Amino acid sequence: MQCYTQLTSPTAVTHSISLPFLSASANNLVVAKTSLLQIFSFKSVLSETNLALDGPIEPRRPSNVVPGTSTAPSAGQKGDRAYTTKLVLIAQYELSGTITSLARLKLLGSKSGGEALLVSLQSAKLSLVEWDPQRYSISTISIHLYEREDVQGSPWDAESLDHVNYLSVDPRSRCAALKFGARHLAILPFYQAGDDLVMDDYDPEIDGERSEPDSPILKTKDEKVNLEKTPYAASFVVSLLALDPSLSHPLHLAFLYEYREPTFGILSSQVASSSALLHERRDCLSYTVITLDLEQRASTALLTVTNLPYDLFSVIPLRLPIGGSFLVGANEVIYIDQSGKTNGVAVNEFAKISTSFAMTDQSDLGLRLEGSVVEQLGLDNSELLIVTSTGELAIVSFKIDGRSVSGVSIRRCAEENGGHLMLTGPSCASIVGRGRIFLGSEQADSVVIGWSRKADKLKRQRSRTDVTVNNELDASESDGEDIDDDEDDLYSGAKAQEEAKEAISGTVIADNNDYRFRVHDKLEGFGPMRNIALGKISRSASKFADSASKQELLVSTGCGRAGGIATFTQKIRPQIKQQFSIPDAQKIWTVRVQDSSDMQLNGAVVNEVDKYIIASRNTSGSDAQSAVYKVSLEEPEELTDTDFDPEAGATVEIGTLNNGTRIVQVLSSEVRTFDAEFGLAQIVPMTDEATGAEPKALRASFADPYVLLIRDDASVLLLRAEESGDLDEIELSPGLQKKQVRSGTLFEDTNDDFRLEFEDSDDEAGNVLMFLLTEGGGLQIFRLPSIHKPIYVADGLSFLPPFLAPDFTVRRSQAREILTEILVAELGDPVQKSPFMIGYVNVAQLPQDSRFETGWVTRKIPLGEEVQALDCHPPTQTYVIGTSSKTDFKLPEDENHPDWGLETTSFLPRVEQGTIKVLDRETWSIINEYPLDPYETVTCIKSLSMETSEHTHSRADLITVGTAFLLGSDLPSAGRVYVFAIIPCVPDPDFPQTSRRLKIIAKEDTKGAVTALSPIGTQGFLLTAQGQKCMVRGLKEDNTLLPVAFIDMHCYTTVAKELGPPATGLCLLGDAIKGVSLAGYYEEPYQLRLFGKSNPHIEVLAADFMPDAKALYLVIADADSNVHVLQFDPENPKSLSGQRLLHLTSFHTGHFTTSITLLPPVNGSDTGAQMQNRSLLLTSTTGSLGLVKALDPMTHRTLAALQSHLQITLPHPLGLNPRAYRAATTGADDGMAGLRGGILDGMILRRWLEPGRWRRWGDEGEEVRKALTYCGKVEGLL
């Protein structure tokens, strides 16, 4: 009985699309990260451009710095100031499904006035959503499911999940087409003004101008459709073979531009293409253009181009002024216009060998286009951008003669112009504005890239057009990047396209250095995660005392040049600049003040650092006191020669008014104001002159020039600072004087974020809002200085809803939460800040090299190479990592293959070349390397205590490394086992951390790749998975590895682990095809004995033990993103005395799991209660972390009931079904699944804690809260 919780959301971007989503004039980017949907807008900020790195320098955050230190960038960082486009997250939604495609649709009517979003998911699902401004969230219009038995193929066809499903939408939003299964196409028509479905027999020349009704009702042949209920017509499914019998093996399709009817181009073949059958199926692909008649549900093939190269894989439709389609292959690109005329370009020398298709020879480019992304550079640009799988940028130019394309040419972007900004290949691309493109990646950070023209001289002058811009990006976003004088409208439609087409008169061929690219912003990505290392942090290496018993989590991330490692910690560790002691301090404040010497002539502030620290102290046996300290480079100095009175009592709040020239100290009985040097200026008592009462101040809030005080008698005191700096009391209205106020806060709404409507009055205009929370739970907002009538009222707030709408109404609930305090503040960064109503918070300085988007504190250490394996060496406080880089592979000389030496190609394939490196934990720098042989790469690394002497049985902490030789399929596989020691050495004087290096102890060649390593037994031996065997090896005196026991395996061993610590001898052996086995290791005599096996149809990619009290579970992950729980229970009759591992349950995580790690016990022991509390940590290719926790039966029953309740009552984004999503669809079920309770969905369970949606369950609420906290808590990590 377990619970799966996703600790961090996926970060790998799989799909993206740009559209006006929030409104008709908005410019938004929608990003899909497997099961996460994010909506962004854009904002232009002025920042310094780093000329050396060709990217923006992040805006400097104002921070509390020590006087005398500089906050300016170093000389190497200085550059030009330019406008930079930044991403601003609007909303994100965790989905119960895996997104496969995104498309934009323009509906006749939408709630926001913008376009709608069509999302396709696995299992042939489509979901149509729009933005709802009232709810400030997405709204699902409809969901469509096409996976039915009557549309499936023959019984021996692969399942629908094994096929690639992709979505395409007509450019004029008349229909959408979803290709699913082997060869099925679902057509979903949409109503549009001017099409046959809407206009029927309407003729504008005869009937005159057609009026637009307020609520459009569209008429088809047989029915009338109200658009307020359905913007689409009935969908239908057709077989591609019914459209054209030659479409038996479809590869890709896309709707084309500039056709009267919906028309798509499809790339297909009549036989399956294969490089192994190139001599028989050389040019077997064909490109067909098919037009659809939606009303008659008929189709017509307009043209077919046959005998195309076998390696084409994508159809890119092109807008005007080019038109037609652009086909992308691994070795070539081909342009096909609307008449079927072709122009091809060979980009490497393999194009000549693989095809007979006539093409222009540009094989000297040496491009590898597998997995590349192509995007047109704007509406008015005829050139295309190609981003290859290695991150290289190339430009495609067209030679236009009249209205036809007569030639195609490709040129690389030089590295000095940003041609290598992408460290690895992208997964998607979207134009997001003028001179801006978003490149999403599953293997690195996703970036927003901008380009400029380095030289405006073209061989043929481009005529100028006057296109009006209607873009949400600021007009100043041109930021000196002189593309041309025209402004671009991303959504201007056909008119702009026609004008752009007329603007080109002849050949447009730019110079090679005409484009210059730079990075504007990025979305950090941690995928794919391959392996993790848990490092024990010594007490001397950690600055925090509670870290001595914690484990540090290190994760390998990225691919290729984007490879590196990342640290994950659960808590923020502030950077300590200074440490000093303030005895008996209860609260502290820092104050930034200005005097006449800090102001320039124009009024700008020069001093932007905190000068003073004020502490409220409460010593035992004496009254509360306050103290003021002056900040200095050394320890702060307490000031005693000022008018600040320490004996006045405890300080309630400190703030500044009058642009920081007046310091305000709020005491419980009075308010004191000081000048910049703490000279006393004024004392305002709390005494009520009318009643003589002396209420005490409990809380205070500042917003220049106002001070709001909440007193212990639930009354309010509002003060205002005059120009002289003196505070005057503002008389409250009679109604407000009688209000019993529980809490209050002031907020300066400089950007009109609340957009509240207020009546015109004679009062002076102001942007300071006062929020008051009454004793009855009512919220009132006043616009100061007017306090006679609130501009917003929400009565009876029994909870704080996630979105407080103007028409908020109180709903009845059995349980009511009492709001005790409110605070309205701006949350965000210098790019984007928005007001939020939150509880009381503490503020600390955050480490500048860390990120917080995932909910964890993360830090990336780029290495420039792909990390294949890593582990920690605790004695030396280092990490040993195995990296790989690409190198050319040339066939070796072999006497049995003399033809290998005759290889003449210069365009060689690339394989991995491995290196073993030592990483210093203090400086995060590489201090030592050990290069491997050519074509040898690291597969696994394990740090363990090995016996180094057969006689003395002494042990040492050593590093074991398993490798594999990548020599192709013509040579037998081989591997090697290394044993290293990390020894001290003489360091480099300039780099003292280089005081340790690797020393090789043993090296053993193996038949077959070494795929897994693990310690085993109590004698310090090593378990190695090599080829089709698993061996136990011991280190001899002569530094050789002697095998003492072995067991035969099936195909490919992916996992080999021992249950421990302490050592138990129980071994988990996972096979990539044949399931998992449980074996036992005996030391007298040495032998490996098989105990039990699982169902042989499970593909084991990762696995580990999960001990739970007296039960032993095995958790494994397969290739379908499923997690299976098996149990070794010899006493169960169904297990056949333990020979069969019981398959208890399966769970679909939605993420391709790469590793499963049993976390160590919290207290360093693995007996008793520690075994019951241990949990599993999962990593995935999408960059997310998962956690599997064991639950006791009572907690499992409680949470299972809660999960069932939430699944049927919660609104789910996109109308998806979380229960169906978590159901594992695999053929590995052996009929024993469900013997115990299934795995609970922690993502659904934690939504029970959402504010304002679900009430707690009375007295049981606290127990449920504790259980949910336990399900998402990772014990033992830093």
Side-chain angles (χ1 to χ4, degrees):
M1 290 170 283
Q2 299 81 20
C3 178
Y4 171 83
T5 303
Q6 188 174 292
L7 298 177
T8 63
S9 299
T11 59
V13 175
T14 56
H15 304 85
S16 67
I17 193 168
S18 177
L19 75 163
F21 192 58
L22 271 61
S23 65
S25 60
N27 182 21
N28 301 115
L29 176 70
V30 178
V31 169
K33 299 178 178 179
T34 309
S35 60
L36 183 69
L37 189 70
Q38 292 182 322
I39 302 171
F40 293 90
S41 63
F42 299 93
K43 186 175 183 179
S44 293
V45 296
L46 190 62
S47 61
E48 293 183 357
T49 303
N50 191 337
L51 298 180
L53 299 179
D54 206 20
I57 298 176
E58 295 294 334
R60 294 194 297 272
R61 293 179 171 86
S63 58
N64 302 338
V65 296
V66 179
T69 61
S70 174
T71 59
S74 61
Q77 292 179 322
K78 291 182 179 179
D80 297 335
R81 294 183 64 82
Y83 279 95
T84 300
T85 301
K86 294 292 184 178
L87 291 166
V88 178
L89 180 63
I90 302 299
Q92 68 177 19
Y93 305 93
E94 294 177 348
L95 307 179
S96 298
T98 301
I99 298 175
T100 58
S101 295
L102 295 176
R104 51 185 288 190
L105 276 167
K106 187 174 183 180
L107 304 180
L108 286 181
S110 65
K111 295 180 180 179
S112 65
E115 296 187 4
L117 179 68
L118 189 62
V119 183
S120 72
L121 303 105
Q122 281 186 348
S123 303
K125 292 181 181 178
L126 288 179
S127 184
L128 181 64
V129 296
E130 62 180 345
W131 182 257
D132 188 352
Q134 296 297 324
R135 297 174 53 245
Y136 204 74
S137 178
I138 60 175
S139 176
T140 303
I141 300 175
S142 61
I143 185 169
H144 311 265
L145 176 63
Y146 298 102
E147 188 184 34
R148 303 192 308 270
E149 294 183 359
D150 58 335
V151 298
Q152 296 300 317
S154 57
W156 52 84
D157 279 350
E159 296 182 2
S160 60
L161 292 178
D162 297 329
H163 294 283
V164 178
N165 301 341
Y166 43 85
L167 173 69
S168 183
V169 173
D170 174 60
R172 292 168 59 182
S173 300
R174 293 169 292 189
C175 70
L178 174 67
K179 183 267 174 186
F180 66 97
R183 53 187 66 86
H184 284 93
L185 197 66
I187 306 296
L188 179 60
F190 292 91
Y191 299 112
Q192 297 295 334
D195 61 13
D196 294 337
L197 294 176
V198 177
M199 304 300 288
D200 200 14
D201 296 330
Y202 169 75
D203 189 344
E205 296 182 359
I206 300 176
D207 301 330
E209 184 178 358
R210 187 181 181 93
S211 60
E212 297 292 338
D214 295 335
S215 178
I217 298 179
L218 308 181
K219 184 175 64 175
T220 62
K221 183 177 181 180
D222 301 322
E223 59 180 352
K224 293 184 178 180
V225 180
N226 193 329
L227 285 186
E228 294 181 353
K229 296 182 179 179
T230 169
Y232 53 86
S235 62
F236 55 94
V237 176
V238 296
S239 172
L240 289 174
L241 296 178
L243 301 181
D244 193 320
S246 64
L247 306 179
S248 57
H249 293 79
L251 297 178
H252 191 245
L253 67 85
F255 279 94
L256 307 179
Y257 293 90
E258 302 305 316
Y259 281 90
R260 175 178 173 81
E261 300 292 338
T263 303
F264 63 86
I266 181 170
L267 191 64
S268 65
S269 65
Q270 290 185 325
V271 293
S273 58
S274 172
S275 57
L277 300 175
L278 196 58
H279 58 286
E280 295 181 0
R281 305 175 184 180
R282 188 177 182 86
D283 295 325
C284 57
L285 299 189
S286 62
Y287 174 75
T288 306
V289 177
I290 299 176
T291 184
L292 300 176
D293 187 339
L294 300 179
E295 187 176 5
Q296 302 295 329
R297 297 188 177 182
S299 64
T300 304
L302 300 182
L303 64 91
T304 300
V305 180
T306 60
N307 298 327
L308 294 176
Y310 83 101
D311 56 353
L312 295 174
F313 59 87
S314 180
V315 178
I316 309 296
L318 301 182
R319 306 181 186 91
L320 290 178
I322 302 300
S325 57
F326 191 75
L327 308 185
V328 184
N331 307 310
E332 68 283 316
V333 296
I334 298 175
Y335 170 75
I336 302 179
D337 63 11
Q338 295 182 353
S339 64
K341 180 183 175 182
T342 62
N343 287 275
V345 177
V347 297
N348 59 56
E349 61 184 61
F350 277 108
K352 305 175 183 178
I353 305 173
S354 61
T355 181
S356 301
F357 192 84
M359 293 181 292
T360 303
D361 186 11
Q362 284 192 265
S363 57
D364 56 325
L365 292 173
L367 293 176
R368 307 170 191 264
L369 298 184
E370 299 93 339
S372 60
V373 171
V374 181
E375 185 68 29
Q376 192 168 350
L377 292 175
L379 289 177
D380 61 344
N381 198 325
S382 63
E383 294 183 317
L384 308 181
L385 175 66
I386 297 180
V387 188
T388 67
S389 59
T390 58
E392 299 174 277
L393 306 184
I395 302 297
V396 181
S397 299
F398 296 91
K399 182 179 180 180
I400 303 177
D401 290 333
R403 289 183 172 269
S404 64
V405 174
S406 59
V408 181
S409 62
I410 302 177
R411 62 184 183 276
R412 285 177 177 266
C413 295
E415 184 175 358
E416 57 269 19
N417 290 340
H420 293 172
L421 284 179
M422 287 290 292
L423 299 179
T424 186
S427 58
C428 56
S430 300
I431 295 293
V432 295
R434 178 180 180 80
R436 306 290 186 270
I437 187 173
F438 173 79
L439 298 176
S441 177
E442 298 182 71
Q443 304 173 345
D445 295 341
S446 302
V447 296
V448 176
I449 289 181
W451 63 86
S452 60
R453 302 296 285 268
K454 191 174 181 180
D456 289 333
K457 296 181 180 180
L458 304 177
K459 292 186 178 180
R460 213 90 183 265
Q461 182 67 28
R462 177 194 294 252
S463 64
R464 303 291 181 176
T465 60
D466 186 12
V467 181
T468 303
V469 68
N470 186 16
N471 200 322
E472 193 179 33
L473 291 178
D474 193 83
S476 60
E477 190 182 318
S478 58
D479 59 337
E481 299 183 356
D482 300 327
I483 302 175
D484 52 39
D485 295 335
D486 304 330
E487 291 181 325
D488 179 28
D489 180 7
L490 190 59
Y491 313 108
S492 58
K495 182 177 179 180
Q497 294 176 349
E498 290 294 336
E499 293 177 348
K501 182 176 180 179
E502 296 173 1
I504 296 181
S505 56
T507 305
V508 180
I509 301 178
D511 296 335
N512 290 336
N513 295 326
D514 55 351
Y515 285 101
R516 181 181 177 87
F517 295 89
R518 71 180 180 96
V519 176
H520 286 239
D521 202 0
K522 68 177 182 179
L523 297 179
E524 197 164 37
F526 295 97
M529 296 177 173
R530 286 187 175 82
N531 207 342
I532 69 171
L534 298 175
K536 191 79 170 182
I537 304 302
S538 66
R539 187 177 296 271
S540 60
S542 176
K543 298 180 181 179
F544 304 94
D546 62 341
S547 301
S549 61
K550 302 293 185 180
Q551 299 271 357
E552 184 179 50
L553 176 61
L554 205 68
V555 183
S556 63
T557 65
C559 290
R561 294 187 296 125
I565 56 177
T567 61
F568 282 75
T569 56
Q570 300 181 83
K571 294 183 179 180
I572 297 176
R573 300 288 178 173
Q575 290 183 343
I576 300 176
K577 302 298 182 182
Q578 283 182 311
Q579 283 186 338
F580 52 88
S581 175
I582 299 179
D584 303 315
Q586 302 296 317
K587 295 181 180 179
I588 60 173
W589 297 265
T590 59
V591 179
R592 180 177 302 175
V593 295
Q594 312 296 334
D595 53 22
S596 58
S597 63
D598 296 327
M599 306 293 291
Q600 294 179 350
L601 294 178
N602 58 359
V605 177
V606 176
N607 190 0
E608 293 189 357
V609 297
D610 292 338
K611 286 186 176 181
Y612 301 105
I613 297 176
I614 300 175
S616 179
R617 301 187 298 190
N618 187 10
T619 60
S620 59
S622 62
D623 296 332
Q625 298 178 350
S626 298
V628 58
Y629 300 82
K630 187 173 183 180
V631 178
S632 63
L633 293 175
E634 304 298 331
E635 185 172 342
E637 176 187 359
E638 184 174 359
L639 300 181
T640 57
D641 56 349
T642 66
D643 293 340
F644 187 89
D645 185 9
E647 304 296 333
T651 301
V652 176
E653 191 62 66
I654 291 289
T656 60
L657 296 177
N658 276 24
N659 294 324
T661 61
R662 198 54 70 91
I663 304 173
V664 181
Q665 180 191 22
V666 179
L667 302 170
S668 60
S669 59
E670 61 189 19
V671 177
R672 298 189 176 192
T673 63
F674 303 89
D675 59 18
E677 302 297 330
F678 274 96
L680 182 63
Q682 184 185 11
I683 297 178
V684 180
M686 289 289 175
T687 305
D688 191 340
E689 298 180 357
T691 62
E694 297 181 356
K696 304 296 184 181
L698 298 179
R699 304 179 184 91
S701 179
F702 294 86
D704 204 359
Y706 299 98
V707 182
L708 173 66
L709 284 82
I710 307 297
R711 299 184 286 193
D712 57 357
D713 61 349
S715 62
V716 174
L717 178 62
L718 185 62
L719 304 176
R720 176 174 180 172
E722 302 297 336
E723 293 183 0
S724 62
D726 294 338
L727 295 177
D728 291 336
E729 181 178 354
I730 297 179
E731 184 178 357
L732 304 179
S733 63
L736 191 55
Q737 292 178 1
K738 298 178 182 179
K739 285 285 185 182
Q740 296 291 306
V741 178
R742 184 180 299 163
S743 179
T745 184
L746 298 178
F747 175 73
E748 186 175 4
D749 190 15
T750 56
N751 298 325
D752 192 23
D753 292 311
F754 285 90
R755 295 178 175 86
L756 296 174
E757 298 180 359
F758 32 78
E759 300 177 358
D760 296 333
S761 63
D762 296 332
D763 296 331
E764 56 183 303
N767 54 10
V768 176
L769 302 178
M770 181 174 65
F771 295 75
L772 296 179
L773 180 66
T774 64
E775 289 289 345
L779 177 66
Q780 295 184 353
I781 304 178
F782 297 85
R783 177 178 178 248
L784 300 182
S786 176
I787 55 175
H788 301 289
K789 182 179 180 181
I791 59 177
Y792 178 81
V793 176
D795 293 326
L797 279 178
S798 60
F799 57 89
L800 190 60
F803 180 74
L804 197 60
D807 56 349
F808 173 80
T809 57
V810 180
R811 297 181 180 180
R812 295 182 178 180
S813 75
Q814 297 178 352
R816 298 173 65 89
E817 295 178 334
I818 300 177
L819 300 182
T820 59
E821 188 173 359
I822 60 172
L823 174 66
V824 178
E826 287 184 330
L827 300 182
D829 56 15
V831 176
Q832 178 68 20
K833 292 182 289 186
S834 301
F836 287 83
M837 188 179 298
I838 55 180
Y840 195 79
V841 297
N842 293 322
V843 180
Q845 185 175 357
L846 304 179
Q848 297 180 357
D849 53 357
S850 298
R851 304 292 292 266
F852 313 95
E853 292 90 341
T854 61
W856 286 47
V857 184
T858 61
R859 179 186 179 185
K860 293 183 72 173
I861 298 97
L863 299 177
E865 292 183 351
E866 192 169 315
V867 178
Q868 303 290 350
L870 74 161
D871 206 353
C872 178
H873 191 253
T876 58
Q877 289 293 295
T878 58
Y879 288 95
V880 180
I881 59 178
T883 65
S884 65
S885 58
K886 293 291 186 179
T887 183
D888 291 338
F889 176 77
K890 190 173 181 61
L891 291 173
E893 295 182 1
D894 190 288
E895 58 182 9
N896 296 324
H897 299 83
D899 54 319
W900 289 0
L902 303 178
E903 187 179 23
T904 59
T905 179
S906 60
F907 193 67
L908 297 172
R910 301 180 67 81
V911 296
E912 304 288 343
Q913 172 65 51
T915 306
I916 304 171
K917 300 182 179 182
V918 180
L919 181 73
D920 178 59
R921 177 109 204 358
E922 291 294 326
T923 60
W924 297 112
S925 60
I926 301 298
I927 60 176
N928 189 236
E929 296 184 1
Y930 183 88
L932 299 180
D933 289 346
Y935 318 137
E936 184 182 10
T937 184
V938 177
T939 56
C940 50
I941 294 177
K942 195 67 179 178
S943 173
L944 69 159
S945 176
M946 288 191 69
E947 183 181 278
T948 57
S949 174
E950 300 176 85
H951 306 294
T952 63
H953 302 289
S954 60
R955 292 197 179 191
D957 291 315
L958 303 178
I959 299 294
T960 58
V961 180
T963 66
F965 286 89
L966 305 178
L967 301 177
S969 59
D970 295 325
L971 293 176
S973 60
R976 190 173 288 168
V977 179
Y978 293 87
V979 179
F980 292 96
I982 299 181
I983 61 173
C985 63
V986 178
D988 188 322
D990 297 331
F991 303 96
Q993 68 270 20
T994 60
S995 59
R996 292 144 293 176
R997 68 176 182 86
L998 289 171
K999 177 185 178 182
I1000 188 166
I1001 303 298
K1003 181 171 67 173
E1004 191 79 18
D1005 293 333
T1006 63
K1007 294 182 178 179
V1010 180
T1011 57
L1013 297 172
S1014 174
I1016 190 169
T1018 61
Q1019 298 178 344
F1021 285 0
L1022 174 67
L1023 175 65
T1024 64
Q1026 52 189 71
Q1028 294 178 315
K1029 293 182 182 294
C1030 284
M1031 290 188 177
V1032 178
R1033 293 176 177 267
L1035 186 61
K1036 297 178 61 179
E1037 298 284 351
D1038 58 353
N1039 292 336
T1040 60
L1041 294 173
L1042 176 67
V1044 298
F1046 75 95
I1047 188 173
D1048 290 323
M1049 296 300 294
H1050 297 284
C1051 301
Y1052 182 88
T1053 304
T1054 56
V1055 183
K1057 293 183 179 180
E1058 182 195 29
L1059 176 61
T1064 60
L1066 287 175
C1067 302
L1068 182 154
L1069 306 174
D1071 192 89
I1073 300 176
K1074 295 294 185 178
V1076 67
S1077 302
L1078 181 65
Y1081 170 65
Y1082 295 88
E1083 295 178 343
E1084 293 182 1
Y1086 296 126
Q1087 62 175 324
L1088 273 174
R1089 181 181 299 176
L1090 181 65
F1091 287 169
K1093 298 176 63 177
S1094 70
N1095 188 302
H1097 301 292
I1098 301 180
E1099 301 172 335
V1100 180
L1101 299 183
D1104 210 330
F1105 292 99
M1106 189 173 189
D1108 184 7
K1110 296 182 180 181
L1112 180 60
Y1113 300 99
L1114 287 75
V1115 178
I1116 61 179
D1118 65 10
D1120 295 324
S1121 303
N1122 300 322
V1123 168
H1124 307 273
V1125 178
L1126 289 76
Q1127 183 182 12
F1128 176 66
D1129 186 6
E1131 298 180 358
N1132 192 310
K1134 293 186 178 180
S1135 68
L1136 304 179
S1137 300
Q1139 298 181 37
R1140 190 174 188 181
L1141 299 178
L1142 301 179
H1143 189 180
L1144 301 183
T1145 185
S1146 299
F1147 184 85
H1148 183 70
T1149 66
H1151 307 284
F1152 192 90
T1153 304
T1154 54
S1155 71
I1156 300 179
T1157 304
L1158 178 65
L1159 296 179
V1162 178
N1163 298 327
S1165 175
D1166 193 31
T1167 58
Q1170 280 70 30
M1171 289 189 65
Q1172 185 173 3
N1173 294 332
R1174 296 180 69 175
S1175 52
L1176 296 176
L1177 188 66
L1178 284 67
T1179 62
S1180 66
T1181 57
T1182 60
S1184 66
L1185 293 175
L1187 184 69
V1188 176
K1189 298 288 288 276
L1191 302 176
D1192 60 85
M1194 182 175 296
T1195 303
H1196 187 274
R1197 285 193 297 268
T1198 302
L1199 295 183
L1202 176 61
Q1203 174 179 290
S1204 300
H1205 172 71
L1206 296 178
Q1207 284 176 341
I1208 61 177
T1209 55
L1210 275 176
H1212 303 292
L1214 274 63
L1216 301 176
N1217 185 351
R1219 182 176 299 176
Y1221 174 62
R1222 295 304 187 185
T1225 56
T1226 176
D1229 190 2
D1230 53 7
M1232 292 184 291
L1235 294 179
R1236 302 285 180 88
I1239 300 180
L1240 299 180
D1241 187 358
M1243 306 299 295
I1244 292 293
L1245 290 172
R1246 70 183 182 186
R1247 292 187 63 184
W1248 182 78
L1249 300 174
E1250 290 181 358
R1253 191 180 299 276
W1254 303 107
R1255 306 282 60 80
R1256 281 35 172 184
W1257 290 357
D1259 296 337
E1260 298 181 359
E1262 186 63 27
E1263 297 299 326
V1264 175
R1265 247 190 313 269
K1266 290 181 180 179
L1268 294 179
T1269 303
Y1270 167 76
C1271 291
K1273 184 178 180 180
V1274 185
E1275 298 94 348
L1277 290 186
L1278 183 66

